Structure formats: structure tokens, C-alpha cells
């Protein structure tokens, strides 16, 4: 059983990633969810995480809010993509339970301290909380079993031609994380853009009862679903990597995050020609798309039985 701590900014694809984790209780032990301002403001990402915890029957997993905004930059949001609430036009039952006391950064540091080498950190939003945890306690780099992020790209951006949203939202945080000394497992747009909900995938989701009430409208809000293409559920790739890393081809690289460029701020400058340097990242370069969807839909089907 893999222990996992997910830092997220729900967010439609964050929600589908949490659903994948919720359906993987046989493989993943989710020790906590922390939230960060990103797609939408922190109060909304936290409210969405709390609602998802109960809707997905994630039990007593603590949800702890963290950083509202970037370390140094003005706020960048993605409400045009995720809607004003962050979950498109999906309305989940209001959560009964609130967030845990304290700040996500302290939760991350203390949780990793309590189980050195056991917990995989998964970050699928801006890296503000992760960077602050590293600054507060550099040993988190040793205590974390692994760090897996959805973010960046070695080809092109999405929020602009150069930068992927999570990196652009807090470039200084991303730079701190990539320079911290661990080997970042970087699942960037290069692979996540192929994880699209086509109409064939959507048809596999429709019969999933209450879970379909989340998955189907969320996917349809997130992008135009067609036979040839559809919205990419980026963040679910990070959880899929935990469940079956063999779905991905990953290559060592030296990644530097641009923080000064007027047009390139947030770009993950990825050099696969390492030479005598040490790789600071393992960068995903391909995804077995059929295998991904068989894993994801199969997991959702098991979760759907539980949810009714
Ligand atoms: O670029 C995609 C990433 O930005 C995903 O994490 C999505 O949720 C948004 O945060
Ligand atoms: Ca996200």
C-alpha cells in the first residue's frame, strides 16, 4: 500500500484525480489532502476538496488549507476553464465537516517527518505549499518517498505558449521545488494532453451511477467531447503514475524554471542532455493512453459500486 499526500487546487481535473485516488483504496493510503489557491481562490479549492472528500466517501482523510497565493506574483486563476466555483457546473452536496486546523505547509512537514521514506507527495496545483515546506524544513526532501507533480512541459505551455498553468501560477515556488535536491517526477503537458475524455470514454463513465453525476458534467464543462478528442484530465495522470508507473516512459533531465523572462516566466526549461550534471527530474515523455483509460475507468467502476 502506497502512502500518499495530495496537494491540489480543485479544479475539475483535480477532482477526477481525487476520484481515482478514492477508488484505489486497495493500492493507495491517502494520508492527507492539502489545498492551494490556483484554478480558483483558496476558499473555493478548499470547499471543493471538502465536498469531494464526502461525495467520494474518502472517510477521515484530513483536508488542510494552505497558501492563498503565489510567493511573489500577482494571482493567476483559471476560472475560464474550471468555472467560477472551480467544479464547472457540478454542484456537490455541501460538506458536513470542515477543514483541519493549521496550515498545509505545517501538515506536509509534520506528516513527512512522522513517516520518513514512506509517503509520496503528489502536487497537482501551483507548488507554493511544497516550496514553503522545503523552505521551512529542507529535510522534507529526504523524508518524502517521492515527489510526483502534474506540471510543466518540455515542449509548450497551455496558459501561454511558454508556460503550463501550475508553473506559471507560481514560478518562484516551482524553481525552489526543482532546486531542492530531490528528483521531481514531472508529468507535464507533453503526456497529460493525451489523456483526453473522448466520447467513447464518456460513454464508459455514463453508467457509473452517482459517480457519473460528477464525472460526466465535469468532463463536459472542461472541454468539447468528441469522437476524436476532448478535455485532458491532466491531474489524474499524477495519480495514475502512482498506480502504474509502467504506463509512462520517463527520462532523466535537468529542469530549470524560468522566473525572469517577460514572455517565458514559468517555463520548465528541460535539458535531456545531462552531461556530468545530476538530473533533478524524471520527465514523462509518453503515455500508454489505452492502458491509462483502462486503469482509470476500471477504478471508477469499482468506486461507483461503493457510491451507489
Ligand atoms: O495545466 C493543467 C494544470 O493546471 C492542472 O493541474 C489543472 O488543474 C490546472 O491547475
Ligand atoms: Ca490542478
Amino acid at each position: 500500500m502506497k502512502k500518499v499526500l495530495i496537494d491540489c487546487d480543485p479544479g475539475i481535473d483535480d477532482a477526477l484525480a481525487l476520484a481515482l485516488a478514492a477508488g484505489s483504496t486497495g493500492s493507495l493510503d491517502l494520508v492527507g489532502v492539502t489545498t492551494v489557491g490556483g484554478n480558483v481562490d483558496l476558499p473555493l479549492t478548499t470547499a471543493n476538496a471538502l465536498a469531494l472528500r464526502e461525495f467520494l466517501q474518502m472517510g477521515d482523510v484530513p483536508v488542510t488549507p494552505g497558501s492563498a497565493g503565489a510567493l511573489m506574483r500577482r494571482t493567476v486563476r483559471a476560472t475560464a476553464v474550471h468555472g467560477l466555483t472551480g467544479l464547472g457546473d457540478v454542484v456537490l452536496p455541501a460538506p458536513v465537516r470542515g477543514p483541519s486546523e493549521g496550515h498545509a505547509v505545517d501538515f506536509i512537514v509534520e506528516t513527512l517527518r512522522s513517516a520518513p521514506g514512506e509517503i509520496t507527495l503528489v502536487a497537482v496545483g501551483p507548488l507554493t505549499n511544497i516550496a514553503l515546506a522545503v523552505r521551512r524544513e529542507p529535510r522534507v526532501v529526504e523524508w518524502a518517498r517521492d515527489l510526483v507533480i502534474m506540471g510543466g512541459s518540455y515542449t509548450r505551455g497551455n496558459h501561454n505558449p511558454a508556460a503550463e498553468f501550475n508553473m506559471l501560477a507560481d514560478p518562484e515556488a516551482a524553481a525552489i521545488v526543482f532546486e531542492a535536491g530531490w528528483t521531481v517526477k514531472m508529468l507535464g503537458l507533453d503526456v497529460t494532453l493525451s489523456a483526453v475524455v473522448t466520447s467513447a470514454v464518456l460513454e464508459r463513465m455514463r453508467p457509473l451511477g452517482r459517480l457519473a453525476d460528477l464525472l460526466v458534467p465535469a468532463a463536459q464543462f472542461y472541454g468539447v467531447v468528441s469522437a476524436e478528442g476532448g478535455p485532458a484530465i491532466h491531474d489524474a495522470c499524477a495519480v495514475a503514475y502512482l498506480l502504474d508507473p509502467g504506463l509512462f516512459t520517463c527520462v532523466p533531465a535537468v529542469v530549470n524554471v524560468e522566473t525572469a523572462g517577460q514572455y517565458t516566466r514559468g517555463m520548465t526549461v528541460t535539458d535531456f542532455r545531462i552531461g556530468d550534471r545530476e538530473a533533478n527530474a524524471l520527465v514523462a515523455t509518453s503515455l500508454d493512453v489505452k492502458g491509462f483509460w483502462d486503469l482509470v475507468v476500471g477504478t471508477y467502476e469499482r468506486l461507483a459500486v461503493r457510491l451507489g
Side-chain angles (χ1 to χ4, degrees), residues 3-5 31 111-112 114-121 143-146:
K3 291 184 178 181
V4 184
L5 194 166
V31 300
T111 303
L112 292 178
S114 71
E118 295 181 30
I119 298 170
T120 295
L121 206 41
W143 294 338
R145 174 178 172 173
D146 215 341

mmCIF file of all heavy atoms in Angstrom, residues 3-5 31 111-112 114-121 143-146:
data_model
loop_
_atom_site.group_PDB
_atom_site.id
_atom_site.type_symbol
_atom_site.label_atom_id
_atom_site.label_comp_id
_atom_site.label_asym_id
_atom_site.label_seq_id
_atom_site.Cartn_x
_atom_site.Cartn_y
_atom_site.Cartn_z
ATOM 1 N N LYS A 3 1.581 5.096 0.683
ATOM 2 C CA LYS A 3 1.043 6.263 1.401
ATOM 3 C C LYS A 3 1.219 7.503 0.529
ATOM 4 O O LYS A 3 2.301 7.723 -0.030
ATOM 5 C CB LYS A 3 1.785 6.436 2.727
ATOM 6 C CG LYS A 3 1.496 5.345 3.745
ATOM 7 C CD LYS A 3 2.168 5.618 5.067
ATOM 8 C CE LYS A 3 1.837 4.555 6.103
ATOM 9 N NZ LYS A 3 2.489 4.849 7.416
ATOM 10 N N VAL A 4 0.148 8.293 0.430
ATOM 11 C CA VAL A 4 0.152 9.435 -0.482
ATOM 12 C C VAL A 4 -0.432 10.667 0.204
ATOM 13 O O VAL A 4 -1.409 10.556 0.968
ATOM 14 C CB VAL A 4 -0.718 9.124 -1.724
ATOM 15 C CG1 VAL A 4 -0.653 10.251 -2.739
ATOM 16 C CG2 VAL A 4 -0.295 7.823 -2.367
ATOM 17 N N LEU A 5 0.182 11.814 -0.065
ATOM 18 C CA LEU A 5 -0.353 13.106 0.362
ATOM 19 C C LEU A 5 -0.550 13.923 -0.910
ATOM 20 O O LEU A 5 0.406 14.099 -1.674
ATOM 21 C CB LEU A 5 0.631 13.800 1.315
ATOM 22 C CG LEU A 5 0.148 14.992 2.128
ATOM 23 C CD1 LEU A 5 1.125 15.322 3.256
ATOM 24 C CD2 LEU A 5 -0.124 16.233 1.296
ATOM 25 N N VAL A 31 -3.062 9.796 3.051
ATOM 26 C CA VAL A 31 -2.862 10.262 4.432
ATOM 27 C C VAL A 31 -3.291 11.719 4.615
ATOM 28 O O VAL A 31 -3.411 12.212 5.738
ATOM 29 C CB VAL A 31 -1.394 10.095 4.871
ATOM 30 C CG1 VAL A 31 -0.970 8.636 4.801
ATOM 31 C CG2 VAL A 31 -0.462 10.964 4.042
ATOM 32 N N THR A 111 3.745 15.623 8.669
ATOM 33 C CA THR A 111 3.335 14.292 8.187
ATOM 34 C C THR A 111 4.537 13.542 7.609
ATOM 35 O O THR A 111 4.748 12.357 7.882
ATOM 36 C CB THR A 111 2.227 14.436 7.139
ATOM 37 O OG1 THR A 111 1.127 15.148 7.723
ATOM 38 C CG2 THR A 111 1.742 13.080 6.653
ATOM 39 N N LEU A 112 5.356 14.253 6.843
ATOM 40 C CA LEU A 112 6.551 13.608 6.274
ATOM 41 C C LEU A 112 7.556 13.278 7.375
ATOM 42 O O LEU A 112 8.189 12.206 7.366
ATOM 43 C CB LEU A 112 7.189 14.509 5.216
ATOM 44 C CG LEU A 112 6.374 14.722 3.929
ATOM 45 C CD1 LEU A 112 7.103 15.678 2.978
ATOM 46 C CD2 LEU A 112 6.098 13.395 3.211
ATOM 47 N N SER A 114 6.874 12.412 10.330
ATOM 48 C CA SER A 114 6.358 11.281 11.135
ATOM 49 C C SER A 114 6.576 9.937 10.452
ATOM 50 O O SER A 114 6.487 8.892 11.092
ATOM 51 C CB SER A 114 4.862 11.478 11.379
ATOM 52 O OG SER A 114 4.145 11.266 10.152
ATOM 53 N N ALA A 115 6.838 9.961 9.143
ATOM 54 C CA ALA A 115 6.983 8.686 8.411
ATOM 55 C C ALA A 115 8.036 8.823 7.319
ATOM 56 O O ALA A 115 7.711 8.785 6.121
ATOM 57 C CB ALA A 115 5.650 8.257 7.816
ATOM 58 N N PRO A 116 9.298 9.040 7.743
ATOM 59 C CA PRO A 116 10.343 9.294 6.752
ATOM 60 C C PRO A 116 10.493 8.136 5.763
ATOM 61 O O PRO A 116 10.482 6.972 6.169
ATOM 62 C CB PRO A 116 11.618 9.465 7.579
ATOM 63 C CG PRO A 116 11.301 9.022 8.960
ATOM 64 C CD PRO A 116 9.826 9.055 9.126
ATOM 65 N N GLY A 117 10.520 8.484 4.481
ATOM 66 C CA GLY A 117 10.730 7.490 3.431
ATOM 67 C C GLY A 117 9.496 6.730 3.037
ATOM 68 O O GLY A 117 9.543 5.845 2.175
ATOM 69 N N GLU A 118 8.346 7.057 3.650
ATOM 70 C CA GLU A 118 7.140 6.250 3.400
ATOM 71 C C GLU A 118 6.087 6.937 2.532
ATOM 72 O O GLU A 118 5.273 6.263 1.912
ATOM 73 C CB GLU A 118 6.478 5.896 4.751
ATOM 74 C CG GLU A 118 7.304 5.010 5.653
ATOM 75 C CD GLU A 118 6.554 4.707 6.961
ATOM 76 O OE1 GLU A 118 5.294 4.675 6.929
ATOM 77 O OE2 GLU A 118 7.215 4.541 7.991
ATOM 78 N N ILE A 119 6.084 8.275 2.544
ATOM 79 C CA ILE A 119 4.956 8.983 1.928
ATOM 80 C C ILE A 119 5.356 9.650 0.617
ATOM 81 O O ILE A 119 6.352 10.381 0.544
ATOM 82 C CB ILE A 119 4.396 10.042 2.910
ATOM 83 C CG1 ILE A 119 3.872 9.357 4.181
ATOM 84 C CG2 ILE A 119 3.278 10.869 2.257
ATOM 85 C CD1 ILE A 119 3.522 10.314 5.293
ATOM 86 N N THR A 120 4.553 9.406 -0.419
ATOM 87 C CA THR A 120 4.763 10.057 -1.720
ATOM 88 C C THR A 120 3.930 11.337 -1.755
ATOM 89 O O THR A 120 2.725 11.314 -1.459
ATOM 90 C CB THR A 120 4.341 9.134 -2.874
ATOM 91 O OG1 THR A 120 5.203 7.985 -2.889
ATOM 92 C CG2 THR A 120 4.452 9.848 -4.214
ATOM 93 N N LEU A 121 4.615 12.419 -2.078
ATOM 94 C CA LEU A 121 3.968 13.726 -2.191
ATOM 95 C C LEU A 121 3.521 13.890 -3.639
ATOM 96 O O LEU A 121 4.333 13.701 -4.561
ATOM 97 C CB LEU A 121 5.007 14.792 -1.831
ATOM 98 C CG LEU A 121 4.625 16.145 -1.273
ATOM 99 C CD1 LEU A 121 3.512 16.072 -0.271
ATOM 100 C CD2 LEU A 121 5.860 16.846 -0.703
ATOM 101 N N TRP A 143 12.747 13.110 3.563
ATOM 102 C CA TRP A 143 11.655 12.372 4.200
ATOM 103 C C TRP A 143 10.634 11.897 3.176
ATOM 104 O O TRP A 143 10.063 10.818 3.340
ATOM 105 C CB TRP A 143 10.965 13.260 5.249
ATOM 106 C CG TRP A 143 11.835 13.603 6.414
ATOM 107 C CD1 TRP A 143 12.936 12.924 6.858
ATOM 108 C CD2 TRP A 143 11.686 14.720 7.285
ATOM 109 N NE1 TRP A 143 13.482 13.554 7.938
ATOM 110 C CE2 TRP A 143 12.733 14.660 8.241
ATOM 111 C CE3 TRP A 143 10.772 15.781 7.379
ATOM 112 C CZ2 TRP A 143 12.872 15.607 9.255
ATOM 113 C CZ3 TRP A 143 10.914 16.724 8.380
ATOM 114 C CH2 TRP A 143 11.964 16.633 9.316
ATOM 115 N N ALA A 144 10.418 12.674 2.125
ATOM 116 C CA ALA A 144 9.431 12.257 1.107
ATOM 117 C C ALA A 144 9.961 11.030 0.381
ATOM 118 O O ALA A 144 11.130 10.977 -0.021
ATOM 119 C CB ALA A 144 9.190 13.387 0.121
ATOM 120 N N ARG A 145 9.094 10.016 0.238
ATOM 121 C CA ARG A 145 9.491 8.824 -0.546
ATOM 122 C C ARG A 145 9.690 9.228 -1.998
ATOM 123 O O ARG A 145 10.578 8.750 -2.686
ATOM 124 C CB ARG A 145 8.390 7.765 -0.429
ATOM 125 C CG ARG A 145 8.624 6.537 -1.308
ATOM 126 C CD ARG A 145 7.542 5.498 -1.123
ATOM 127 N NE ARG A 145 7.656 4.417 -2.094
ATOM 128 C CZ ARG A 145 6.904 3.332 -2.055
ATOM 129 N NH1 ARG A 145 5.977 3.186 -1.126
ATOM 130 N NH2 ARG A 145 7.049 2.374 -2.975
ATOM 131 N N ASP A 146 8.851 10.151 -2.462
ATOM 132 C CA ASP A 146 8.889 10.600 -3.859
ATOM 133 C C ASP A 146 8.086 11.904 -3.948
ATOM 134 O O ASP A 146 7.244 12.190 -3.080
ATOM 135 C CB ASP A 146 8.235 9.531 -4.745
ATOM 136 C CG ASP A 146 8.906 9.419 -6.117
ATOM 137 O OD1 ASP A 146 9.610 10.378 -6.490
ATOM 138 O OD2 ASP A 146 8.714 8.398 -6.793
#
